[in-house]
Amino acid sequence: VTFPEKAGDIRAWELNIGSTARKFACVRPRASEVFLVDGTCSRCAFDLWRGEIILPSDGSPARLSCPVCGQVYELSSGEPKGIQKKEGFNGWVNGLARSATLSERERPIASYPIRARRDAGEQAAGGGSSGSGGSGGGSGKLIVEVDFSGMKDVE
């Protein structure tokens, strides 16, 4: 997997969990935060790793929007937070995708706590369950720890 190196980066991760491969979006909205969320939108099933990071000006948690239907998710909890409105052709595509889904109901996506640290005594790059982490300084190997204990289909 490739770790998001700078603020604003999103990476797709495909991990073998048990007997199945699952897609995730690893999102770094700010230099001091890294989140791992389900890789597909719960509304239209498109790739969230192709989405757009939203940093609310009111200081609320960072969000990720689906590039197709515009569904917005809070990164720290996976909770749906409305629809990102777009203008022009992109707005037309978003509206079409929203109307083509089987359900109008907003559903949360899973968000998994992530922590990154440097190996060989390097200083920790971020803290546990809050979802923060980072690539940190130093030259040690980067170790990424993800808590999948809440995943429903872990064997």
Side-chain angles (χ1 to χ4, degrees):
V1 295
T2 304
F3 197 73
E5 294 181 18
K6 61 183 184 244
D9 280 355
I10 304 172
R11 297 286 186 253
W13 286 8
E14 185 169 335
L15 304 175
N16 292 325
I17 309 281
S19 61
T20 61
R22 298 239 346 225
K23 287 193 176 187
F24 300 92
C26 188
V27 185
R28 189 172 196 166
R30 297 177 181 96
S32 62
E33 295 178 317
V34 180
F35 299 93
L36 189 69
V37 296
D38 280 341
T40 56
C41 177
S42 66
R43 187 177 193 124
C44 72
F46 195 74
D47 298 331
L48 285 176
W49 60 270
R50 297 175 189 252
E52 180 181 335
I53 296 171
I54 301 169
L55 298 173
S57 59
D58 64 1
S60 59
R63 298 172 181 180
L64 180 65
S65 73
C66 175
V68 173
C69 72
Q71 180 65 54
V72 176
Y73 301 95
E74 188 172 280
L75 286 169
S76 59
S77 67
E79 289 296 318
K81 295 294 180 182
I83 302 292
Q84 182 183 34
K85 304 286 185 199
K86 294 191 177 183
E87 300 294 323
F89 180 74
N90 288 337
W92 178 78
V93 170
N94 287 156
L96 187 61
R98 280 192 306 277
S99 66
T101 57
L102 295 175
S103 171
E104 289 294 314
R105 189 174 68 104
E106 296 178 338
R107 294 183 320 260
I109 57 172
S111 178
Y112 305 96
I114 188 169
R115 182 172 186 259
R117 61 183 171 87
R118 291 280 174 191
D119 192 16
E122 295 291 331
Q123 189 175 33
S129 64
S130 67
S132 41
S135 58
S139 59
K141 180 172 63 172
L142 184 66
I143 298 174
V144 177
E145 300 167 339
V146 181
D147 180 3
F148 288 116
S149 62
M151 186 181 289
K152 292 179 181 142
D153 56 354
V154 171
E155 293 179 350

